[in-house]
Each structure stands twice: as C-alpha cells, then as structure tokens.
Amino acid sequence: MFQIVQEACNLASQSGCTYADARVVALRRQTLHTRDRAVDHYGESDDRGFGVRVLYKGAWGFASSPILKIEEVKRVVKQAIRVAEASALAPRQGGVQWAPEPAARVHHVSPRQTDPFEVPFDSKTSLLLDASEVMLKEKGIKRARGYLLAKEVQRWYANTDGSEMFSDVISTEAEISAVAVGENDFQTRSWHADCRSGGFELYDRKKFVVEAARVAAQAREKLSAVDAPSGEKDLVLDAHHLGLTIHESVGHATELDRVLGYEVSMAGSSFVSTDKLGKFRYGSDKVTLMADNTLEGGLATQGFDDDGVPGQRWPIVEKGLFKGYSTGREFAHAIGEARSRGCCRADHWSSFPIVRIPNLSLMPGKESCSPQQLISGVDDGLYFEGMGSFSIDQRRWNFQFGADAVWEIKGGKLGRMVKPVVYQSTTPYFWGQCDAVADERHWRPVGVMNCGKGDPMQIAQMTHGAAPARFRKIKVSPGSVSA
Amino acid sequence: MIFSPDKARELLTRVIAMREEGELSLLLCAERSLGTRFNGCAISQNILKFNATLRLTARVGQRRASLTVNALSDDDVLRRAVRQAHHLALRNPEDEEVMEEPGEVFSGPERARSESAEALEIPAIGSFVAEACALGSVAGVDLAGLVMVTKGLKAYADSRGGLAAERYHRTDTHITASGKKGSGWAEHQDHTLTRDNVVDCARRAIEKGLAAQNPRELAPRPMTAVLEPQAVGDLLTSSIWDWDQRAKDEGRSAFVGAPEELGKLSLVSDPAHPAFPTLSFNEDGERYSRSVWLDKGRVQQLMTPRFWAKKQGIPFKPFPSNLVLEGEGHSLDEMIRSTEDGVLVTRFWYIRSVDPTTLTYTGMTRDGLFRIENGKVTGPLVDYRFNDSLFRVLRNVSMSGKPVPTGEYLDAAMPALKVEGFRFTSLSGGL
C-alpha cells in the first residue's frame, strides 16, 4: 500500500505539483440490527481505494480510484492535475497558503483487547436479543430495537513533505431502544452504550440487561409524564446530553474553515469570528473545553490527520475565555498560527479532506461535586438525560435542544417525568449560565459517529467528554404542538 | 468501469451463477461524481469521485445476510464473496419477515438519464462556476456553493430470475450569495445541467442576496408564511420516515390520532412523474409504482413493505423513489399579492423532529426571509425559528403553486405554499 501512495507523490512532484498527498484507505464494517426477537439486518462491507490530492499552479486537484494497482496511480495523478487546472479557472486571491509541517513517521493502532470482527456472531446477536427480551417483558412495550456497529479504518498515507504514516482504528457503537404504546400515545426511550475506539471489551453483557430493564420501564413511564412547563428554569444536563450540546454549539462553531466562509453554502458559517480569538467570553469561568486528538479511545484519535499532521491537545475555551480553533494546514495562517492543529479529515478514500471537530470535552469541575449535589442546588428546574431533538442555526448562535428523557427538579430533588420539552438559548448566554460542573469521577466520553459536514456531505466521528453540569435560568417550552 | 447496463447485467448474471446453494440477490451501485465547490467567488475544491459496490444478499429459507464489496474485477474475490454471504446467512437466526426475492425483470425506459449530463466533465463545470463567480464579483457579493453532476448506474439481479439495470444522472446546483449583512440562495435540481442553468441560478441567488441585506427584527408570532418550493421540500421530506403504515397499525405513529383531512393537496410518489422521474426499481429489486399518500388532503395507505402488505392483506407500497406535492398552480406573485401581513421564506435549515406523536418539527429560516405587507415584499427580516406540527401546516395551506424539483434528502418536486398561522417562535439571528 505504501508503494501506491509513494508512487503517487513521486509522480505528482515530477509533474510540477508544489504539494501532493495520497491515501490508501481500507474500510471494513459490520452492522447488526435487531427488531424484537429477530435479527432485522446483518451486513458486512469491505471498501478500499486510494485518493490523490495535488496542489498544482496554486490550485487544488483531487482524484481517486478503487483500483489498488500501481499502474492505476499514473492515471489518477494525471486526472488530479487536470482537476487542479479546472480549479484555476476561478482562482483564490493569494492562492493556497499551506502551513509547513515537518516530515514524520507515524504508526498508530487504536487500543482494543477483543477485536470485534473476531467475536463470534452469536455473542453479538445475543447481546442485543437478550436486551430485547428484557425490554419486551415490560408491559406496554410494543417494539424493542438493537444496533451494533464495528468499524475498522486502515490508512496508508504519504505526502511530498516526506511523511509516511499508517493508522488502524477500530470503533464500536451499540444502542438499544424500546417503544411503549398507550392509549393514543407512544413514547420511545433509548440507551447508548459506550461508543469509542476500542473493541468488544467495551460491552458488558450484564450492563445491557440492566439498561434494557431501565429503558423499558422509563419508556412506559413517559406515557404518563406530566405536561411540559414553559418559562425560565435551572437545568441539570447529563454527560450524554451535553455531548451533543458541546458538539453543536462549540465544536462546529470553532471550526476555522466555517469561520472563513468555506462551508457557508451548506453547513454554514460561525459567529466566532477571528477577531474574537483570545478576547471573547464564551462562557462562565466554570467552562473549560479542551480539544484532544490524543485522547485514549477518542473517536478522532487517529494518530494523524489527512494533512499529515499528528494529533494534538489544545484549549478551545479556558475558564470561559475563547482560546482556539480547530484548523487544517490551509487555514492556520488566517489566525497567525504557524502550524495546523491537525483537524483535517476525509470520510472516505474518495473524499477531499475538510476541517472536522476534534475530540472536544467539557473538563470536569475541580471541586468535589456529584450530579446529586448539582440537583440539590436547584429549587425549580429540569434534569435532561440523553440526546433528543437538536437544531441550531447556521452561525451556531441560536439553538433548541430536547432530550431522550426529562424529569422535574423540585426543591432539590428529582420529581416526575416530563412530556417532550425543549430548551432554547444562544451559545454565549447558555455557556455563561453554567455555574457548576460535576467532578472527574462523573466525567465520561460520549461518542458521535454521524457528524455531517461538507458539500457533498461527509460523515465523521469524534468524542465529547463531559461530566453533568448545571445551567441557571434557561428558557424552556413544551415540544409538542397540537395538530 | 461499469457504466453499460449490458455489462452490468452480464456481471450480475455471472455472479448469480457462482451460487452453489440457497438464494442470492445482487445490487450493483456505480457512481461517478464530478463537483466543483466554491466560496468567496473562487473555486475551493474540484471533486472527482468514483466507486462501484456490489451488495450480495444470501438467503437460506428465513435466514438472510448481506455482504458488500468494491473489488469487482476479480472473479475469485467475487466467488469468495458469494460463499461468505451464504455462510453469514446460515449463521443468522430465522426471521419470519424475510421475504422471497421479487424475481422481476425490468426493461423499461431510463427515465432519469440525460445525454447532455453524460458529456459534462470537470473543466466544463469549472467554467460554469467561473462565470457565476465573475457575476458575484461584479455584484459585490461572495458566492459560495456546489455544482455537482453524478453519473450513475444501478443494477439488480436475483436467483429467482430478477434482472434490472438502469443508468441515471443527477445534477445539484446550489448557490449562496452573501453580503456583509445578509444572504440569498438559489438552486437548480434536475437530471441535466447547462451553463445557462448555473448562470441563472447565480443570478437568482445574487438578486436575493442583495435584497436580503440589513434585515430588521420583527417579533416572532404565528403569521402567514409564503414558503418557496425548497422550504416546502425541506419540511415535507424531513417527515418521510413517519409515513409508515406498520407503525400506524401498531399504534406507534402520529397518524393514529391524525385529523381525517390534512388540507386539500395530493402527495404522491411516481417514478414516471414528469416533475422528477426516477429509476423503475428499488434496491431490493422491487418495482416502484405510483403511490398516493394524500389524496386531496385525505390520508391514504402509508408506506408498506412486502411483509406487512402480505400480513395485513393490503397493497405493497415501497419507500418512495420521489415525492411530489401536487399544487394548484398559483404563482408566487399571486400568493404574495394576496398576503396582507406575512413573510416570504426562501428555505429552512436544520429541521428536526421535536415530538413524533404530533409530527412537531423545529427549524429555522435561512438565506432570505422577507416581510410581506399589503401584498408587497417590503424588506428583509432577521431569521426565525419555528416549532409547528406538519399536520397543522398542511391543514392551514390556503394557496399552492406548481411543483418544481427540489433537492437534499429525497428527490422531490414541491410547489410554493401559502400557510396561515405558521408558528414562528423565536429570532434565530443566523444571518
């Protein structure tokens, strides 16, 4: 494989390209879906090919092929150069300013104790079907679903800087859900197992059974939930729910390519303009958000990015102050940085790399604090658990989020479950209202496997760690509108 | 590479013959996509993508499993894949819902094919974009967007005699024109694409972008909304997974308690619909036929897979190939002229379900929200967030236009709609 990517770089150099890189990518997936007591779908896929990106006369060209043969490389490099010539028809003023990066050798293999591709099929199906059996025992549960994914991405990368890199990342994901049906009503409750780079050791059979029972009981409980309130409430958000809030209101907002207008037509831009760097108050002093593409088990921990830059750790928000962006080599210059943060990733061998959200985590509070303590400090509020409805504007300013399940908090104690309710806020106001984050005992990584960005759309994965946190005086309203 | 239906049929027939036992169905998907991305009136990426994948689905009685590969030029690899798919199926537990392969032969016309799109290559697309970018520079706005041409082939075969292969073209042009305080947007969705389509799209985006500058704030409230076709498509196609007959029959659907009448329009899917024709068959080798989901506002049978159709004794209605809302033919100008107090919406963004029991959605306006007063567009507004039930929206349609192709989630043709009392709930501030 290295022969193919090296040959591509050599041919590109010989053809006058000022920079080139090439990737061979082999993508392997196993997906398992269960429906009640049956396997609804089982599929495996194996997809491989290579992509070549060239910078020729100041413009980008990219071409790819599924044919992994050395004689195919010449054709693809030529095609990439032709594409670059077409890009030069409407050139960017000043051309591409490409941040330098020293040549490096990287060999990254993600941690795994039990290779999920080697786990017997029956072990996987029984993990989900046993959970289904438990869910279906609960009265009123009319549908139980399970999902399990194992994914392996191997990359062989080289560029004309002289870098040669390899990564092999295995990620796993699992989810179960139950639908309860009542009189003219139905409600769903779900549970996401740990989703990270790792093997089947992440999945504890007993935990699935316990969570299945809880999910089913709470799906049923949702049928008799009380009406959603409206007005300002204090909120306590669990780590899983916060993962999405971080992703949408901080992760996407601080991608530098968006800020510079490169995604304006589809994914959008950002309110976090470059003049805000180092000055803008993103949140309260309780809020520190660290980017970390070296986080063990992080879904964006891949050794190096598709610009050939090794993974790094840096602050995005530090004690409430906006400190940094996610960048790639094409964009670092725009904020006066000499080196990329290593966030450019492509979702496939046939895709052009773009800036993606890194592993990005809300750091735990430094003082001892449990979720129960957060709740006990709320007189009239709501507790949000899991991911629900989520929607944010194209500048990442105004958002509205719901949850998988919500409970009242009255007099410092959890109360009854609440019907669909959403909170609506703006990014700096919301993070500014954070007055406490639980400590590191309660911090956990939350995996996102389906982050969409780009045009045409590319799907990326990353991790957002968080401990439960409390937010004061946030506007909430019922999620349901009568037909 | 595989772009001839004859060669595709030949390959699939050869692979079917590799089967030693059990049943086998094959789906070949080959796509070559050529796209030009641009922003700031300059090309940022030209994209040339090609891949061809073969999905092999083996069935042994009521056991079934799939394997997908993209190494198609080596018969030894394919033979191993056939054996592996069979092996995977044998491991699977039995499922009463597994159906026999349809075994149907298709020989219909290639309705979604375009000779002119076939001839397009990256330099031509790049030149269209360069011309559009020049228009943006002259107008003093930043143009950003994508012009993409996809040349594809889908082929299906099964061991019960099923065989189908059709080529298609899909073009997607969408352009945003941004000034310092506001943006406009336009699109062209079709099977074909010309230089004039791209230039016209750029002109419409620029015109709207210039008109959208310096929007003012207007407090959100329920009000009359004239929704352009893309906005209608954004909202309606977001709900498509909910139009599910089995979920309704099992009490897991908003349609259980839905009003009997949802307005007066008809919603159909039809592979031969002139507004947006599509392939004749789906990925399981099943025939697309005309399905009516709403007949003059009355809910009809919803999407029904073959297992559920057989169990319930009702017609099979597959997930749609396209979605067409058949409007009454009013012009956008007529809708605006008849509106005393309302807004004009170019498109929506980030629509998500809030409550599946009432089909309540949230989302925001984007790239051109305008005030309508006394029958005239009087200026741009700061964007809104909405929260509303799709049922309520359909019931409150007072005027509708003629369906035109729109894009994104599903091939669709949507008319502009005038909706009374559309529930805008906050200012989004997403300029």
Side-chain angles (χ1 to χ4, degrees):
Chain A
M1 298 302 182
F2 273 123
Q3 199 188 350
I4 285 175
V5 292
Q6 290 291 8
E7 176 70 1
C9 292
N10 292 341
L11 286 172
S13 281
Q14 288 160 18
S15 305
C17 297
T18 50
Y19 172 84
D21 54 32
R23 284 175 288 128
V24 169
V25 181
L27 169 65
R28 192 155 63 123
R29 293 168 69 97
Q30 277 184 352
T31 51
L32 173 64
H33 293 265
T34 58
R35 168 194 13 91
D36 297 341
R37 296 178 176 90
V39 171
D40 199 29
H41 169 79
Y42 178 74
E44 294 188 0
S45 68
D46 187 338
D47 181 293
R48 48 190 69 206
F50 71 101
V52 178
R53 181 172 61 157
V54 301
L55 194 52
Y56 181 75
K57 295 183 178 172
W60 285 118
F62 179 82
S64 59
S65 172
I67 301 169
L68 286 168
K69 291 184 177 163
I70 202 81
E71 52 271 27
E72 176 74 350
V73 175
K74 194 171 180 180
R75 189 187 71 79
V76 171
V77 170
K78 267 189 181 171
Q79 222 171 30
I81 291 172
R82 261 187 64 219
V83 168
E85 287 169 340
S87 299
L89 291 169
R92 189 169 305 282
Q93 275 191 337
V96 173
Q97 297 183 48
W98 193 239
E101 182 68 23
R105 294 273 188 277
V106 175
H107 185 92
H108 173 80
V109 177
S110 68
R112 80 281 306 250
Q113 289 169 31
T114 309
D115 183 340
F117 293 92
E118 299 300 323
V119 171
F121 179 76
D122 287 350
S123 293
K124 292 173 187 162
T125 52
S126 64
L127 183 75
L128 299 181
L129 292 175
D130 289 353
S132 279
E133 197 61 49
V134 171
M135 290 189 279
L136 291 167
K137 276 185 185 156
E138 179 79 30
K139 194 179 167 194
I141 298 300
K142 297 295 184 191
R143 175 59 29 91
R145 287 198 180 277
Y147 167 67
L148 186 64
L149 166 74
K151 176 182 167 190
E152 181 177 32
V153 181
Q154 293 179 309
R155 284 184 302 162
W156 293 261
Y157 172 93
N159 64 24
T160 50
D161 296 333
S163 291
E164 194 176 277
M165 301 173 169
F166 171 78
S167 68
D168 178 358
V169 174
I170 285 184
S171 312
T172 48
E173 181 181 26
E175 182 186 1
I176 55 173
S177 65
V179 183
V181 175
E183 212 167 305
N184 295 321
D185 193 8
F186 64 98
Q187 295 292 335
T188 304
R189 182 81 170 105
S190 59
W191 173 70
H192 285 77
D194 276 348
C195 165
R196 59 176 103 158
S197 289
F200 213 67
E201 70 279 359
L202 295 173
Y203 298 140
D204 174 0
R205 204 162 281 275
K206 286 180 193 159
K207 172 91 172 155
F208 271 66
V209 169
V210 169
E211 293 297 339
R214 183 178 68 91
V215 157
Q218 291 182 348
R220 199 173 151 209
E221 189 185 346
K222 278 174 93 171
L223 292 171
S224 53
V226 297
D227 287 343
S230 58
E232 283 188 346
K233 299 279 179 192
D234 293 345
L235 309 183
V236 176
L237 309 179
D238 89 320
H240 190 227
H241 179 87
L242 272 167
L244 194 60
T245 312
I246 293 166
H247 181 90
E248 300 290 359
S249 68
V250 186
H252 279 308
T254 54
E255 294 166 324
L256 188 54
D257 61 338
R258 293 178 69 111
V259 174
L260 299 176
Y262 278 68
E263 296 288 333
V264 74
S265 191
M266 181 61 82
S269 59
S270 170
F271 75 95
V272 193
S273 47
T274 53
D275 58 320
K276 292 184 170 68
L277 187 60
K279 301 171 194 161
F280 180 67
R281 185 141 284 281
Y282 214 104
S284 73
D285 61 3
K286 306 290 182 193
V287 176
T288 291
L289 290 139
M290 292 296 295
D292 187 358
N293 281 344
T294 66
L295 178 74
E296 182 161 333
L299 291 167
T301 302
Q302 298 174 5
F304 56 95
D305 76 348
D306 290 328
D307 283 350
V309 179
Q312 297 165 45
R313 184 174 195 270
W314 71 103
I316 298 288
V317 175
E318 202 164 36
K319 292 183 179 173
L321 194 65
F322 173 54
K323 295 295 283 280
Y325 289 102
S326 306
T327 68
R329 291 175 73 177
E330 187 172 356
F331 308 109
H333 72 92
I335 50 170
E337 292 190 352
R339 191 182 183 212
S340 160
R341 295 293 187 180
C343 300
C344 247
R345 307 198 295 276
D347 71 345
H348 194 252
W349 49 264
S350 67
S351 299
F352 194 101
I354 57 175
V355 174
R356 303 310 306 237
I357 300 175
N359 299 318
L360 174 64
S361 301
L362 176 66
M363 302 316 286
K366 292 217 160 71
E367 292 164 18
S368 172
C369 179
S370 67
Q372 289 69 32
Q373 284 171 290
L374 294 177
I375 289 167
S376 68
V378 174
D379 185 48
D380 179 20
L382 296 168
Y383 173 64
F384 280 63
E385 192 173 284
M387 296 179 185
S389 175
F390 53 99
S391 173
I392 187 164
D393 76 43
Q394 72 271 21
R395 289 176 68 234
R396 305 281 147 176
W397 176 261
N398 171 305
F399 58 74
Q400 178 177 301
F401 295 134
D404 197 50
V406 181
W407 285 265
E408 293 174 325
I409 305 174
K410 295 283 184 197
K413 289 184 178 162
L414 277 186
R416 300 165 299 179
M417 202 178 247
V418 179
K419 290 249 189 238
V421 59
V422 293
Y423 64 91
Q424 199 246 304
S425 193
T426 56
T427 297
Y429 174 82
F430 172 80
W431 288 106
Q433 297 302 103
C434 178
D435 78 339
V437 183
D439 64 51
E440 63 184 349
R441 292 171 299 161
H442 307 283
W443 188 93
R444 74 177 181 95
V446 177
V448 173
M449 291 293 281
N450 58 350
C451 170
K453 184 186 170 187
D455 193 13
M457 178 81 80
Q458 295 188 41
I459 304 297
Q461 61 182 47
M462 64 285 296
T463 291
H464 301 302
R470 187 171 59 209
F471 299 79
R472 300 290 188 187
K473 292 188 176 176
I474 305 294
K475 186 180 159 194
V476 303
S477 56
S480 189
V481 174
S482 167
Chain B
M1 275 305 175
I2 303 151
F3 277 105
S4 139
D6 285 344
K7 282 191 178 169
R9 280 188 281 261
E10 186 186 308
L11 170 71
L12 297 192
T13 304
R14 198 168 74 243
V15 177
I16 289 286
M18 294 173 184
R19 170 186 63 114
E20 290 165 1
E21 48 191 326
E23 301 293 343
L24 180 65
S25 62
L26 304 170
L27 175 72
L28 176 68
C29 300
E31 276 198 347
R32 185 164 179 261
S33 300
L34 310 93
T36 298
R37 277 192 95 183
F38 51 102
N39 76 293
C41 296
I43 292 174
S44 55
Q45 294 169 19
N46 268 315
I47 302 153
L48 193 54
K49 290 164 79 92
F50 173 76
N51 201 7
T53 60
L54 181 66
R55 187 190 73 191
L56 305 94
T57 302
R59 181 175 66 83
V60 183
Q62 294 303 111
R63 304 170 193 268
R64 185 178 59 189
S66 292
L67 173 70
T68 304
V69 295
N70 77 333
L72 308 184
S73 54
D74 185 335
D75 272 12
D76 287 340
V77 171
L78 294 171
R79 199 167 282 112
R80 273 200 304 276
V82 170
R83 279 200 295 267
Q84 194 182 343
H86 179 73
H87 174 67
L88 294 175
L90 282 177
R91 292 191 317 190
N92 250 354
E94 290 193 337
D95 178 8
E96 62 160 345
E97 299 192 13
V98 166
M99 301 293 287
E100 283 187 339
E101 299 70 22
E104 189 169 354
V105 176
F106 292 80
S107 55
E110 294 179 311
R111 298 187 195 94
R113 180 165 159 71
S114 154
E115 288 296 338
S116 59
E118 181 64 31
L120 285 172
E121 290 296 332
I122 282 279
I125 298 168
S127 70
F128 301 163
V129 169
E131 200 171 335
C133 285
L135 291 173
S137 296
V138 169
V141 293
D142 275 345
L143 282 201
L146 173 75
V147 179
M148 187 113 178
V149 176
T150 299
K151 307 171 183 187
L153 174 142
K154 270 201 178 132
Y156 172 89
D158 64 47
S159 52
R160 297 183 68 246
L163 193 58
E166 285 183 20
R167 290 165 296 181
Y168 60 93
H169 293 89
R170 181 75 172 84
T171 77
D172 174 6
T173 300
H174 50 264
I175 300 177
T176 302
S178 307
K180 285 190 175 155
K181 293 205 168 173
S183 58
W185 181 88
E187 70 171 344
H188 171 81
Q189 304 286 336
D190 203 349
H191 298 300
T192 188
L193 182 78
T194 65
R195 169 259 177 208
D196 288 352
N197 296 143
V198 178
V199 169
D200 172 63
C201 186
R203 287 202 172 109
R204 285 184 283 126
I206 290 167
E207 186 183 348
K208 190 158 265 187
L210 291 172
Q213 297 304 304
N214 302 309
R216 69 185 174 89
E217 287 188 2
L218 179 69
R221 57 186 161 84
M223 71 175 99
T224 303
V226 176
L227 309 180
E228 292 196 18
Q230 180 61 38
V232 177
D234 291 336
L235 187 56
L236 209 49
T237 58
S238 295
S239 75
I240 190 63
W241 292 100
D242 291 303
W243 296 64
D244 176 343
Q245 185 64 40
R246 180 176 187 171
K248 183 182 176 188
D249 294 343
E250 293 180 342
R252 301 179 285 109
S253 166
F255 283 91
V256 172
E260 289 280 306
E261 288 200 357
L262 299 175
K264 54 191 174 183
L265 300 181
S266 295
L267 181 68
V268 305
S269 296
D270 183 353
H273 201 291
F276 215 145
T278 65
L279 297 179
S280 312
F281 59 93
N282 70 9
E283 299 196 340
D284 295 319
E286 297 163 335
R287 182 176 292 279
Y288 285 129
S289 54
R290 182 179 166 86
S291 295
V292 180
W293 314 112
L294 275 181
D295 184 12
K296 293 180 180 151
R298 292 193 75 84
V299 178
Q300 305 296 299
Q301 184 187 326
L302 307 177
M303 287 186 294
T304 313
R306 279 193 292 146
F307 166 75
W308 197 248
K310 189 177 171 190
K311 184 169 174 126
Q312 300 292 90
I314 55 178
F316 160 61
K317 290 196 169 194
F319 187 86
S321 57
N322 59 7
L323 208 54
V324 181
L325 186 63
E326 294 181 328
E328 297 166 307
H330 294 289
S331 71
L332 195 65
D333 281 346
E334 285 176 291
M335 294 183 208
I336 293 168
R337 275 203 305 273
S338 65
T339 303
E340 279 185 26
D341 172 20
V343 294
L344 172 65
V345 177
T346 300
R347 66 163 168 154
F348 289 125
W349 163 248
Y350 224 130
I351 294 176
R352 289 292 182 274
S353 168
V354 179
D355 180 11
T357 68
T358 53
L359 282 197
T360 298
Y361 291 89
T362 190
M364 289 143 289
T365 62
R366 178 173 174 181
D367 297 325
L369 174 70
F370 299 94
R371 180 81 168 113
I372 303 173
E373 292 171 296
N374 300 318
K376 286 183 181 161
V377 174
T378 55
L381 295 175
V382 170
D383 283 309
Y384 287 138
R385 173 179 293 285
F386 73 87
N387 281 272
D388 213 337
S389 158
L390 180 64
F391 292 149
R392 203 177 153 277
V393 170
L394 288 169
R395 293 175 76 194
N396 287 345
V397 171
S398 57
M399 291 175 84
S400 58
K402 181 183 166 193
V404 298
T406 63
E408 206 155 355
Y409 298 115
L410 186 70
D411 284 349
M414 295 286 146
L417 296 180
K418 182 176 166 184
V419 181
E420 307 298 336
F422 196 89
R423 291 187 75 252
F424 296 109
T425 50
S426 69
L427 290 169
S428 94
L431 279 181

